[in-house]
Amino acid sequence: MTPNTTTNKYIYTKIVSEMASIFCCFRGCASFLDLGFATPAVPIKKQPLIALDQQQIGQEVVLVKDGSRICGTGGALGNSAIMQDKAYFEVRLQQSGIWGIGLGSEKADLNTVPMGSDADSWVLCSDGYLRHNKEEMHHIAQLPQEGDTIGVSYNHIELNFYLNGQKLDCPFTNVRGQVYPAIYVDDGAVLDVVFDNFVHDPPPGFDKIMLEQSLLET
């Protein structure tokens, strides 16, 4: 091999190496500067959560903690109707006062306390009465206290309540139509609504409320 051939081979190898380095550098810069060479990141769609609905509350109701805590005066509905066969949720009594827990339709009066004064709400009230359409349907002897957890189950036949995991055996059997979780507060009551990660296991066959398909597609 002649000296000229060796020199030419060295120059060619050097040029190829330099071009490769320049290309790698350019590709890295292009990725950093988003010049079209990098694969665009695919946005992750955030899953909607079950919570109390800011659009379905009384005029003097305050919702905090992403719609999981209610205070003020009046009622609120959940942001998803109960469509599944067997649904369960819980409410934790953070601060006592006047309150009620149960189900209501979109027509329920959310500005009147107590709820259960119309044909569109079915609630267990803080005084132990179960009220619907101005009627007192049942009364429980053991009243919930601060720190207690009240469970609610609904299977489109019975609406049942549980106190710290124990069934109260005083069901509503006249719930009709499309209904939502319903909560009302007054006189300083503060309630936390829990739609997942329950303190107590749901009754057999019951599960957390599932979102309507229409909400999942938005």
Side-chain angles (χ1 to χ4, degrees), residues 86-88 152-153 160 162 167 200-207:
K86 296 180 178 181
Y88 176 83
V152 182
S153 69
N160 275 288
Y162 306 77
K167 190 175 182 180
H200 302 281
D201 291 334
F206 286 78
D207 202 354

Side-chain angles (χ1 to χ4, degrees), residues 11 13 23-24 32 43 87 89 93 114 126 166 175 184 186 196 201 204:
I11 293 173
T13 303
F23 176 76
C24 290
F32 178 76
F89 66 96
L93 181 53
S126 52
Q166 299 299 313
V175 179
Y184 78 80
D186 194 17
D196 201 354
D201 291 334

Side-chain angles (χ1 to χ4, degrees), residues 7 16 50-51 53 61 66 71 90 108 125 160 183 198 213:
T7 301
V16 170
I50 298 286
D53 192 348
V61 169
D66 296 324
C71 49
E90 290 180 343
C125 302
N160 275 288
I183 316 290
F198 303 120
Q213 189 64 30

Side-chain angles (χ1 to χ4, degrees), residues 8 20 38 50 55 67 86 98 102 106 117 122 151 162 173 176 183 193 217:
N8 290 340
I50 298 286
Q55 306 302 316
K86 296 180 178 181
I98 296 173
E106 290 182 326
S117 298
W122 299 259
Y162 306 77
T173 58
R176 300 290 183 270
I183 316 290
V193 189
E217 292 173 351

